[in-house]
């Protein structure tokens, strides 16, 4: 068997793994389709006017269903996510920092990381984003 035969045999094993993945994806899609189809066939459907109303905490809807939220709420949520990610990176860093051989390099890297976060916080503060009212 020449070199070409070995390459073809290796490729066949390589593509067989993709076949396995494809079969698992198809089985998952078939399972979801059967589950949704069974749900549709077995559930009772008797729509009434009350059932078609928007339900929110037991209160009947009043007015339009469209309400705009101020962008400030989204900015606060974004800042929360930024600082939560910051905390997620700080805890593993604190555990690695104590290991031998990681001292000064990890310390400098963390100060660079915290510096980027601080620059973003100062920018948001200067733009007036952190003022609630």
């Amino acid at each position: 068997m020449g070199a070409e035969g070995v390459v073809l045999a290796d490729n066949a094993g390589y593509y067989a793994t993709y076949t396995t993945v494809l079969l698992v994806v198809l089985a998952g899609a078939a399972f979801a389709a059967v589950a949704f189809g069974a749900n549709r066939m077995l559930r009772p459907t008797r729509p009434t006017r009350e059932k078609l109303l928007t339900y929110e905490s037991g209160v009947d809807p009043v007015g339009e269903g469209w309400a705009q939220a101020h962008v400030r709420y989204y900015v606060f949520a974004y800042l929360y996510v930024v600082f939560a990610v910051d905390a997620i990176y700080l805890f593993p860093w604190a555990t690695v920092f104590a290991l031998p051989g990681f001292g000064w390099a990890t310390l400098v890297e963390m100060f660079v990381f915290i510096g980027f976060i601080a620059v973003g916080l100062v920018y948001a503060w200067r733009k007036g984003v952190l003022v609630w009212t």
Side-chain angles (χ1 to χ4, degrees), residues 81-129:
V81 169
V82 166
F83 288 112
V85 169
D86 182 31
I88 288 172
Y89 281 117
L90 280 175
F91 288 119
W93 170 78
T95 58
V96 170
F97 182 68
L99 296 176
F102 287 98
W104 289 105
T106 55
L107 184 66
V108 170
E109 289 173 359
M110 189 48 64
F111 276 120
V112 169
F113 178 71
I114 291 174
F116 280 121
I117 298 293
V119 167
L121 182 61
V122 168
Y123 177 78
W125 177 54
R126 285 232 163 149
K127 287 290 188 177
V129 172

Side-chain angles (χ1 to χ4, degrees), residues 2 4 8 10 13 23 25 37 40 44 48-49 54 61 68-70 83 85 104 107 111 114:
E4 294 146 1
L8 290 177
D10 288 342
L23 288 175
V25 168
R40 182 168 280 245
T48 63
R49 180 180 144 105
T54 304
Q68 289 184 336
H70 199 278
F83 288 112
V85 169
W104 289 105
L107 184 66
F111 276 120
I114 291 174

